[in-house]
Amino acid sequence: DVKVTQSSRYLVKRTGEKVFLECVQDMDHENMFWYRQDPGLGLRLIYFSYDVKMKEKGDIPEGYSVSREKKERFSLILESASTNQTSMYLCASGLAGVSYEQYFGPGTRLTVT
Amino acid sequence: EDKVVQSPLSLVVHEGDTVTLNCSYEVTNFRSLLWYKQEKKAPTFLFMLTSSGIEKKSGRLSSILDKKELSSILNITATQTGDSAIYLCAVLVRTGANNLFFGTGTRLTVIP
């Protein structure tokens, strides 16, 4: 079974803090994704990566950056957290060319106060 | 701008009822439509639909795509409390990694 894990289930941070969300997958997938999920807005893609050190912006990249130094690990970074970044963050991975079937992690619920 | 819209946003039914969830889309380069079920944790894949008019079925769940109407429905018969979840529709467009657009989801609550 594919396993996608995220470093924290719940996280509370203060405005202005730098926040790291980590995602690890164990299936050697080329593609990895970060989404945020908000009521009434569904899942929105923040960034994705199709290879180590490769990244592309999704629909809402502002205020975020990412890092992929190893194939199995994809990190989402909030350089200076703001209250409007309070959300559920979901990581996903998928095979190149067959990326329709994305496997999701359990999510991190981030609250910025 | 690519858009995926689901309706209703939320739904409460009694066990044993049949429900129909709707997904409509306006996208360029449509390839497939996918349904996911999201309970407390991560979304899990249910169906992928590529051809119009061909029903996909898994137990009490079934889904069909209408490319003419740019829409899909997800049916759940004889609902159970375990069907309570958010049901997400996503549309696959173009090639490449950035290719899934999600709808807002329908929150289904099944009460005993």
Side-chain angles (χ1 to χ4, degrees):
Chain A
D1 276 354
V2 176
K3 195 168 180 186
V4 181
T5 57
Q6 294 182 228
S7 51
S8 308
R9 290 300 310 279
Y10 300 94
L11 208 53
V12 179
K13 294 291 182 181
R14 292 189 183 278
T15 300
E17 279 192 81
K18 191 167 185 175
V19 182
F20 292 87
L21 302 182
E22 298 267 298
C23 175
V24 178
Q25 50 96 2
D26 67 357
M27 279 303 289
D28 204 34
H29 286 165
E30 290 83 4
N31 296 336
M32 295 189 75
F33 308 81
W34 274 107
Y35 294 90
R36 62 178 282 178
Q37 185 175 29
D38 300 290
L41 296 174
L43 268 74
R44 293 179 292 167
L45 181 66
I46 305 171
Y47 265 98
F48 67 97
S49 167
Y50 51 90
D51 202 350
V52 174
K53 295 192 187 293
M54 306 304 287
K55 60 186 179 186
E56 283 197 28
K57 293 179 181 179
D59 301 315
I60 50 163
E62 296 78 20
Y64 303 95
S65 62
V66 290
S67 171
R68 191 159 180 208
E69 297 297 317
K70 293 184 179 180
K71 192 174 186 180
E72 67 271 18
R73 189 179 296 268
F74 192 34
S75 302
L76 180 69
I77 303 152
L78 286 66
E79 295 290 341
S80 177
S82 63
T83 54
N84 64 12
Q85 292 178 310
T86 292
S87 186
M88 169 70 86
Y89 290 88
L90 286 165
C91 172
S93 73
L95 286 167
V98 197
S99 57
Y100 61 84
E101 193 166 344
Q102 293 184 13
Y103 297 87
F104 286 84
T108 296
R109 185 166 291 285
L110 172 67
T111 302
V112 182
T113 60
Chain B
E1 186 182 323
D2 294 332
K3 190 164 65 172
V4 179
V5 178
Q6 291 184 247
S7 63
L9 287 181
S10 66
L11 192 56
V12 180
V13 300
H14 287 96
E15 264 191 322
D17 287 352
T18 293
V19 298
T20 299
L21 310 182
N22 299 284
C23 176
S24 63
Y25 59 90
E26 291 178 31
V27 302
T28 53
N29 298 313
F30 173 89
R31 294 183 65 197
S32 304
L33 186 143
L34 294 90
W35 284 97
Y36 288 82
K37 177 183 181 182
Q38 183 178 18
E39 297 173 87
K40 290 180 183 175
K41 294 184 179 180
T44 53
F45 175 78
L46 292 175
F47 298 113
M48 186 176 80
L49 305 157
T50 303
S51 301
S52 207
I54 298 175
E55 186 183 55
K56 291 274 182 93
K57 202 168 167 64
S58 176
R60 295 175 295 101
L61 276 66
S62 63
S63 185
I64 196 161
L65 175 67
D66 186 338
K67 282 181 163 178
K68 192 175 175 185
E69 296 295 325
L70 306 183
S71 66
S72 173
I73 58 170
L74 175 68
N75 279 320
I76 308 174
T77 59
T79 51
Q80 302 171 356
T81 54
D83 295 327
S84 295
I86 296 173
Y87 289 85
L88 295 166
C89 170
V91 172
L92 183 71
V93 301
R94 63 180 178 268
T95 56
N98 179 17
N99 55 9
L100 262 186
F101 288 87
F102 283 86
T104 54
T106 294
R107 180 180 291 276
L108 174 65
T109 304
V110 181
I111 53 179

